[in-house]
Amino acid sequence: MSGGIGTRLRPLTCDLPKPMVPIFNKPVMEYGVELFKKHGIKDIAVTLYYLPNMIMDYFGDGSKFDVNIKYYIEEKPLGTGGSVKNAEEFLDTTLIVLSGDAFTDIDLQKAYEFHKKKGSKATLVLKREPNPLEYGLVITDDGGKILRFLEKPSWGEVFSDNINTGIYILEPEVFQYYRKGENFDFSKDLFPKLLEDNVPMYGYVGEGYWCDVGDLKSYINTHEDIFTQKERQYLLGKSQREGIWVGEGTIIEKGAKIYPPVYIGKNSIIKSGVVLESYSVIGSNCFVGEGSSIKRSIVWDNVIISNNCEIRKAVVCNNGRIEEGSRVFEEAVIGVNSKIFRNSTIKPKVKVWPHKTIEEGTVLNGNLVWEEKAARRLFGSRNISGIYNSTITPELAIKLGASLATVINFEGIYVVNSDDYNLSKSIKNSIISGILSTGSLVVDMEESSLPMCRFSVRHVKAHGGVHIRTGDVDRGLVYIEIIGDKGINIDKGMERKIENTMAIEDYKRCNGEEIEDIVHINNFSSIYIKEGINRLKNIYKIRQERPKIAIGSKSRNIAALAEKFLKKMGCLVSVVDDIKVFGIDGLKNMVLDEDLDLGILYSDDGESIALTDGFNIIKGERYYMLSLLIGFKTGEIKEAIVPYNFPRIVEKIGSKYDGSITYAKSNISDLIGTMWKKDLEFQYILNFDGIWASGKIIDYLIGNNMVLNQLLQELPEYFYLMKEIPCKWDEKGNIIRRLTGDGKAGIELKEGIRFMDNKGWVLVVPDEEKPKLNLFIEGYDEEYAEELWSKYHDRITKLLKG
């Protein structure tokens, strides 16, 4: 019977029918064929359902195994009895039924003789099992006659230790109990019916080896059993020396250490310095690189394991590739055709489904099933993001909380807040649990924003903070931002420390008496709003003029917080509920149609805004430039902090007001950190606190009797493009290196590569989260900016093709 899907063995069986799963480099079903042949049985029927062609292609008509094989394919699952009945033309004499996934050497001749001696119509081959809870029990009398069946009993029902192996000897007449094509099961349907009708049915207790290779644990244990039971090592063929089996054509270099028992297939290469420890199986056509160590693991065929890798009681399926310095731990499985790049770690019991890619430096804590690849790092360009209950799980969040408190200060104070979605609250509560486990104190801010988290960290003098929110479009996405003690996103060095702590699970732990209370604050927004209003200079004039403002955000609590803030200022506020459909363009039309003063769209983390006066839309780098103009004009900014990829036309604004421009790296940690270091709170507010920023802009316009359009007239014209070019992860470094070599005079290597001439520039930066290159382009006119884009697009595309 070889039709099973093998769900419990996945991912071993994702691309392979269960009977084709290899044991010592041979399909488990092949051992069954050899067992039949050993006992003189050469006429074999094979019932098929899942991936039948793989079995048929391998075994053919049976001639290469000196047997005769016929195949019977089910169009739909028919159960154990139904699948055998599907081979009705074959059922004309006494029949022995064997599961295609059973690994056994039970003496079938003795079982057959018992069957005939008892005059049995159905004989079940039984096996004594010390822990029978996961099997079907069969209760017999002293003569072997079956009295009762028990499917997966509790300990209170264990009246016998005889389990059903799924090996049956049947007479043709028992198949009269059901029709061909009917879904019928031997254990659940046929045998109880035979028992009820007093049909002679017996149980034969076999003394040989038997194992149902049904799950990963039994699969690994089967190999260890054969290694340790000398009377069964004949299954492995002739050993080269005691406890070591090596296939023809395999090369083991001098300096490799092999500790028996070990089995190695044909045409494999084991390099010098390799350590193969006991109970390891290496397939055919494999390569194991210098300094690698393999222990109690099963490696299938055509696998490449590079230098200095560790494989510990794991399974690596066909055509796997594990690159230098990677580690695969206990009961992990690497599916067929999967690739693990350098210095990655696969944690215990993690399953990687077939055809997956694990990027360099990745620590994989959970199963990789649906996504094509695992990101190389937990942190992206500025935060942690992923799909709820897939890449971001409550378990991961607990470990993250414990790790960040361990790294930052394990007896510290941490602010944790989220938006008002239950998904975010779920992850927030898990992070809080992790932080508490270190002995740290948590301040839980209810339904807060990212800027409020930064402000509250400074306000309560906390050691750090965490903000959790959902995606603005896909509510299944989760974003987690970690804030340091000054309200600044942590830097790359701190991110790596947290990742490393999670990888080795080296957390600080407190005892139960040291767990702190959680401080719940559900109205901190009142303090945040009050502090924002205190920073305005023209609050009384605003309350007199009562500007009319339309606002919206994809986040409910950001919209509610902004409404509360603006009303407290004295504005007349209209909130657009369906901003997902409405968008900034709809807001623009609303401002124009209803003769409002301003429209403001807040990002769903509350960090940034877009503005409209009914005629113009100001967002992105144009808003950033507008904010600097306001800062220079008011004198609040003397030195502006600008991302390195920003249009250089901003220097013209600075020079007009005797200000200077400092370029920082484009990541948020460097930008905010530099602003706070230079005491540029005004610029921080306008660029990274959307709600306070909207107040500052209204304050400036009202205080100077201006409308937004007047201010926009002072912005210089510029021509700026942001483009991207797809580029595989493992090609990024090569492309950047070759571009650097291509550059003559006029290149700058501060962040990516910046190519400059007197008419414009192009900045090429590898993306941190996706397989692509980002290009930032500025030209003295629109035509030249497009020309630069075409030039570098063609150059990079040519390098990629090369």
Side-chain angles (χ1 to χ4, degrees):
M1 295 185 295
S2 301
I5 295 175
T7 304
R8 289 183 299 145
L9 262 178
R10 288 182 176 173
L12 302 184
T13 52
C14 287
D15 289 355
L16 199 67
K18 193 175 175 184
M20 292 298 292
V21 169
I23 292 180
F24 294 105
N25 300 343
K26 281 167 45 175
V28 62
M29 180 176 148
E30 187 173 339
Y31 292 97
V33 171
E34 290 175 349
L35 181 67
F36 281 152
K37 180 184 170 185
K38 175 183 176 181
H39 290 287
I41 302 169
K42 291 194 173 184
D43 293 324
I44 302 172
V46 180
T47 65
L48 302 173
Y49 172 65
Y50 178 65
L51 299 175
N53 289 338
M54 295 188 74
I55 294 175
M56 294 165 68
D57 290 347
Y58 184 87
F59 289 96
D61 62 2
S63 56
K64 70 177 180 178
F65 301 95
D66 195 24
V67 296
N68 307 310
I69 296 180
K70 292 183 179 180
Y71 299 97
Y72 298 88
I73 302 175
E74 303 165 53
E75 293 182 3
K76 60 181 180 180
L78 296 173
T80 53
S83 69
V84 174
K85 181 77 170 181
N86 196 46
E88 192 168 41
E89 65 185 66
F90 191 81
L91 314 179
D92 59 355
T93 186
T94 305
L95 184 76
I96 298 183
V97 178
L98 178 68
S99 294
D101 58 1
F103 187 83
T104 182
D105 65 355
I106 284 175
D107 193 327
L108 300 181
Q109 180 69 30
K110 288 183 178 179
Y112 175 74
E113 290 170 357
F114 174 89
H115 173 80
K116 288 300 183 182
K117 179 181 177 182
K118 295 292 184 180
S120 178
K121 299 299 180 184
T123 296
L124 283 63
V125 177
L126 310 179
K127 188 84 176 72
R128 290 194 171 93
E129 170 61 42
N131 184 0
L133 298 186
E134 293 302 314
Y135 301 94
L137 283 187
V138 181
I139 299 171
T140 65
D141 64 15
D142 291 342
K145 188 175 182 180
I146 292 175
L147 304 175
R148 187 178 173 191
F149 295 101
L150 276 174
E151 277 296 318
K152 294 187 179 178
S154 65
W155 275 117
E157 297 174 304
V158 174
F159 311 120
S160 166
D161 61 356
N162 288 336
I163 64 169
N164 181 3
T165 65
I167 303 172
Y168 311 125
I169 304 175
L170 307 173
E171 296 299 330
E173 49 262 44
V174 302
F175 294 102
Q176 296 173 6
Y177 274 79
Y178 57 104
R179 297 184 301 274
K180 183 178 181 180
E182 185 179 353
N183 191 308
F184 210 76
D185 190 82
F186 283 136
S187 295
K188 295 178 182 177
D189 301 315
L190 178 61
F191 297 153
K193 185 65 176 171
L194 295 177
L195 195 63
E196 182 183 334
D197 291 353
N198 292 316
V199 174
M201 187 165 48
Y202 286 80
Y204 169 79
V205 180
E207 293 180 354
Y209 183 83
W210 173 86
C211 180
D212 168 22
V213 186
D215 57 29
L216 184 64
K217 186 174 181 180
S218 65
Y219 176 70
I220 293 174
N221 287 345
T222 298
H223 289 79
E224 295 188 358
D225 289 344
I226 302 306
F227 270 136
T228 54
Q229 298 174 16
K230 288 194 174 184
E231 69 272 20
R232 292 186 174 83
Q233 289 181 358
Y234 71 90
L235 294 167
L236 309 182
K238 187 177 180 181
S239 62
Q240 190 177 63
R241 67 176 192 261
E242 185 67 24
I244 298 177
W245 290 263
V246 180
E248 183 180 346
T250 286
I251 298 171
I252 302 175
E253 291 188 354
K254 185 178 180 180
K257 295 181 180 179
I258 300 179
Y259 299 91
V262 166
Y263 183 96
I264 307 172
K266 299 177 181 178
N267 302 314
S268 289
I269 298 174
I270 312 299
K271 299 291 286 183
S272 178
V274 167
V275 177
L276 292 184
E277 298 203 31
S278 304
Y279 307 106
S280 294
V281 177
I282 308 296
S284 297
N285 304 305
C286 292
F287 175 91
V288 184
E290 295 177 5
S292 287
S293 169
I294 299 175
K295 185 175 184 179
R296 291 179 175 262
S297 297
I298 301 166
V299 177
W300 291 9
D301 294 341
N302 304 305
V303 172
I304 296 174
I305 298 173
S306 298
N307 298 346
N308 302 313
C309 295
E310 289 181 53
I311 317 293
R312 295 288 180 267
K313 203 175 182 181
V315 179
V316 183
C317 296
N318 292 336
N319 305 307
R321 184 184 181 97
I322 300 176
E323 294 200 346
E324 187 170 350
S326 292
R327 304 181 298 168
V328 183
F329 288 118
E330 288 78 2
E331 295 186 37
V333 178
I334 309 302
V336 169
N337 289 308
S338 289
K339 181 184 288 187
I340 300 174
F341 282 102
R342 295 162 56 98
N343 300 318
S344 292
T345 300
I346 312 301
K347 299 303 284 291
K349 298 187 178 181
V350 167
K351 310 295 187 294
V352 177
W353 255 237
H355 311 287
K356 304 300 182 188
T357 300
I358 313 297
E359 296 295 352
E360 182 178 341
T362 298
V363 177
L364 192 62
N365 293 289
N367 296 343
L368 186 62
V369 181
W370 302 113
E371 297 180 343
E372 289 185 5
K373 63 173 63 181
R376 59 185 56 211
R377 295 186 59 206
L378 179 65
F379 288 86
S381 58
R382 63 164 284 170
N383 58 29
I384 300 167
S385 63
I387 301 169
Y388 181 72
N389 267 342
S390 177
T391 49
I392 303 292
T393 63
E395 295 87 349
L396 181 141
I398 291 170
K399 293 176 181 178
L400 175 62
S403 298
L404 72 91
T406 297
V407 170
I408 296 173
N409 187 322
F410 67 90
E411 293 180 326
I413 300 171
Y414 297 91
V415 173
V416 184
N417 66 12
S418 72
D419 62 23
D420 59 346
Y421 288 93
N422 288 336
L423 179 155
S424 303
K425 292 176 183 176
S426 167
I427 296 298
K428 179 184 76 171
N429 291 334
S430 296
I431 290 174
I432 287 173
S433 294
I435 294 173
L436 290 173
S437 71
T438 68
S440 295
L441 186 144
V442 172
V443 179
D444 183 0
M445 297 281 186
E446 298 289 340
E447 298 179 8
S448 187
S449 67
L450 177 56
M452 196 190 300
C453 182
R454 292 198 184 104
F455 170 71
S456 59
V457 166
R458 297 193 301 273
H459 188 80
V460 304
K461 296 181 172 59
H463 295 88
V466 185
H467 176 70
I468 306 102
R469 65 179 177 88
T470 60
D472 54 359
V473 177
D474 183 352
R475 291 298 177 196
L477 284 173
V478 184
Y479 296 94
I480 303 171
E481 304 240 7
I482 299 179
I483 310 300
D485 60 348
K486 295 181 174 58
I488 304 165
N489 288 54
I490 60 172
D491 60 23
K492 297 297 179 185
M494 187 67 75
E495 289 177 359
R496 289 189 181 92
K497 288 180 182 178
I498 291 171
E499 287 177 341
N500 291 339
T501 300
M502 287 184 70
I504 62 176
E505 299 188 0
D506 185 21
Y507 316 120
K508 295 289 184 181
R509 296 296 195 192
C510 70
N511 61 46
E513 295 177 352
E514 294 174 320
I515 296 177
E516 299 281 0
D517 291 329
I518 301 174
V519 179
H520 294 278
I521 302 179
N522 56 18
N523 57 355
F524 187 78
S525 60
S526 297
I527 296 175
Y528 170 75
I529 287 170
K530 181 175 175 60
E531 288 290 334
I533 288 174
N534 286 344
R535 285 162 169 76
L536 304 179
K537 297 179 178 179
N538 301 290
I539 189 68
Y540 297 109
K541 191 173 181 181
I542 293 170
R543 288 170 177 169
Q544 286 177 341
E545 297 200 10
R546 307 277 284 171
K548 294 176 287 184
I549 313 292
I551 68 168
S553 175
K554 292 173 183 175
S555 168
R556 296 187 301 237
N557 66 301
I558 295 296
L561 191 61
E563 180 185 18
K564 187 177 177 182
F565 178 73
L566 293 173
K567 283 184 175 179
K568 199 81 172 176
M569 283 174 56
C571 301
L572 299 172
V573 184
S574 301
V575 180
V576 178
D577 292 325
D578 197 8
I579 199 67
K580 290 182 187 177
V581 177
F582 213 66
I584 189 65
D585 292 308
L587 209 56
K588 172 176 170 286
N589 295 333
M590 180 179 175
V591 171
L592 187 62
D593 294 343
E594 299 183 19
D595 194 26
L596 307 180
D597 295 296
L598 203 61
I600 307 172
L601 179 64
Y602 296 88
S603 63
D604 59 335
D605 61 2
E607 188 175 83
S608 60
I609 59 175
L611 303 172
T612 179
D613 59 358
F615 301 97
N616 306 282
I617 291 175
I618 306 94
K619 60 182 180 179
E621 82 278 345
R622 194 167 183 229
Y623 169 79
Y624 201 100
M625 208 170 290
L626 177 73
S627 70
L628 299 185
L629 175 62
I630 293 172
F632 282 130
K633 283 174 69 70
T634 59
E636 295 276 3
I637 298 176
K638 294 293 185 183
E639 178 187 11
I641 308 305
V642 172
Y644 185 69
N645 57 17
F646 201 76
R648 296 311 191 259
I649 195 73
V650 70
E651 295 169 7
K652 187 174 181 180
I653 300 173
S655 62
K656 181 178 179 180
Y657 294 97
D658 297 323
S660 63
I661 303 294
T662 296
Y663 293 100
K665 290 183 179 178
S666 304
N667 69 77
I668 192 169
S669 178
D670 279 312
L671 284 171
I672 296 179
T674 308
M675 289 176 191
W676 282 114
K677 187 182 295 183
K678 295 181 178 293
D679 198 25
L680 294 173
E681 185 188 59
F682 186 87
Q683 186 184 352
Y684 162 78
I685 290 172
L686 287 178
N687 297 146
F688 293 103
D689 189 330
I691 291 173
W692 282 10
S694 58
K696 283 282 190 184
I697 288 169
I698 292 168
D699 186 58
Y700 177 81
L701 294 175
I702 295 291
N704 290 277
N705 299 310
M706 292 182 71
V707 294
L708 186 61
N709 194 46
Q710 288 175 273
L711 196 57
L712 294 175
Q713 301 307 314
E714 296 187 45
L715 291 180
E717 188 177 27
Y718 64 97
F719 304 95
Y720 181 69
L721 304 173
M722 290 183 286
K723 301 284 189 178
E724 59 185 51
I725 297 175
C727 177
K728 293 179 181 178
W729 281 107
D730 50 1
E731 292 180 351
K732 286 183 184 179
N734 181 40
I735 295 299
I736 293 298
R737 177 183 59 78
R738 294 173 70 186
L739 283 174
T740 305
D742 288 348
K744 301 177 179 60
I747 72 166
E748 192 173 79
L749 302 174
K750 182 174 181 179
E751 183 180 0
I753 309 173
R754 185 167 169 251
F755 299 90
M756 300 169 287
D757 62 32
N758 57 1
K759 294 183 179 179
W761 55 270
V762 175
L763 175 64
V764 183
V765 184
D767 194 275
E768 289 194 40
E769 296 186 57
K770 296 178 181 178
K772 64 177 184 175
L773 300 172
N774 296 317
L775 275 69
F776 304 90
I777 305 145
E778 185 179 19
Y780 80 103
D781 62 17
E782 186 175 6
E783 184 179 357
Y784 193 67
E786 291 287 352
E787 186 180 321
L788 284 173
W789 158 240
S790 297
K791 175 183 176 181
Y792 282 91
H793 174 271
D794 292 347
R795 179 187 291 186
I796 292 169
T797 301
K798 185 178 179 181
L799 289 173
L800 287 168
K801 287 179 179 177

